[in-house]
Amino acid sequence: MTIKKLITVPDELLRKKSQNIEKVSTDEKKLIKDLFETMYHHKGIGLAAIQVGIPKKIIVLDVMQKDDKKNPLCFINPVVKKIGNEKSKYEEGCLSIPNTFIEIERPKTCIVEYVDIDGKKKIMECDGLLSTCIQHEINHLDGKLIIDFLSKLKKDLIIKKLSKTKRNTDRIIV
Ligand code: NI
């Protein structure tokens, strides 16, 4: 397993729409293992393949992470089929947008159709944190980020700040 390099805003690849997977081959299975490794390494609770620069519809999640109790979930070609009327709010962060938290209201429940790692079609009813997390990750597959929930002004400020941070990291004085 390999910890993959995360891409971050303003990398335009994060805006790319991910492609459906026709068949879950060994390449995809390896990628899924790497995504879990990368997510756990960075202490995230969700990660989409596009966040390591691969535009395939694969999401990994673990919203149960506490000590040694892991509950890894993988969704291939996930689609939200139905949303509930009730809303819930979380302060969301994103591994692709360092040091940024945004309060976002989303449907508290949703029904997601997906393909599992064995290529089988499945349906899952999601509630609370899982519901928010899966919607956040499915947004990634559509090229949508949490900063898109903000006004243009606030969004531009964050992108500007992150662009500067990135430049400073590469700058060295010897
Ligand atoms: Ni994210």
Side-chain angles (χ1 to χ4, degrees):
M1 284 193 279
T2 320
I3 296 167
K4 298 265 197 190
K5 193 179 179 311
L6 292 171
I7 58 169
T8 52
V9 167
D11 195 320
E12 276 304 307
L13 204 47
L14 287 166
R15 295 304 188 176
K16 198 176 163 73
K17 282 197 191 330
S18 294
Q19 297 296 308
N20 260 314
I21 288 165
E22 301 295 328
K23 189 179 173 290
V24 189
S25 67
T26 42
D27 274 2
E28 274 79 31
K29 286 182 183 171
K30 190 186 173 300
L31 173 60
I32 289 164
K33 281 185 184 166
D34 291 346
L35 288 173
F36 275 119
E37 182 91 349
T38 308
M39 180 186 76
Y40 286 126
H41 174 78
H42 289 284
K43 300 196 163 43
I45 57 172
L47 188 67
I50 191 65
Q51 293 180 274
V52 299
I54 300 170
K56 290 183 177 180
K57 285 194 178 174
I58 301 177
I59 286 169
V60 295
L61 291 177
D62 190 341
V63 295
M64 297 275 281
Q65 276 189 67
K66 261 181 215 149
D67 304 321
D68 291 335
K69 279 189 189 158
K70 283 184 177 165
N71 182 29
L73 299 171
C74 174
F75 301 83
I76 298 163
N77 305 338
V79 181
V80 175
K81 295 305 270 189
K82 212 174 169 185
I83 52 167
N85 291 327
E86 223 182 316
K87 306 274 184 201
S88 62
K89 227 186 244 178
Y90 285 94
E91 270 215 324
E92 296 182 28
C94 179
L95 290 174
S96 300
I97 314 171
N99 308 318
T100 306
F101 289 89
I102 300 165
E103 195 174 82
I104 298 174
E105 192 179 77
R106 299 184 189 264
K108 186 178 176 290
T109 56
C110 64
I111 294 174
V112 176
E113 200 177 82
Y114 65 102
V115 169
D116 73 6
I117 196 161
D118 300 313
K120 290 197 185 96
K121 260 203 169 181
K122 296 242 168 115
I123 280 184
M124 190 182 279
E125 277 185 53
C126 307
D127 192 358
L129 182 58
L130 178 61
S131 175
T132 283
C133 199
I134 201 156
Q135 289 172 59
H136 175 124
E137 299 308 331
I138 289 175
N139 281 168
H140 273 300
L141 302 182
D142 293 327
K144 187 175 176 177
L145 300 167
I146 49 173
I147 47 175
D148 300 339
F149 287 82
L150 297 171
S151 67
K152 192 179 180 305
L153 189 72
K154 280 186 183 168
K155 180 173 153 177
D156 288 349
L157 269 172
I158 289 174
I159 294 172
K160 205 174 155 190
K161 198 178 81 190
L162 290 171
S163 306
K164 267 188 198 154
T165 314
K166 211 171 183 180
R167 254 207 310 278
N168 287 341
T169 315
D170 291 332
R171 191 180 289 160
I172 55 159
I173 303 169
V174 189

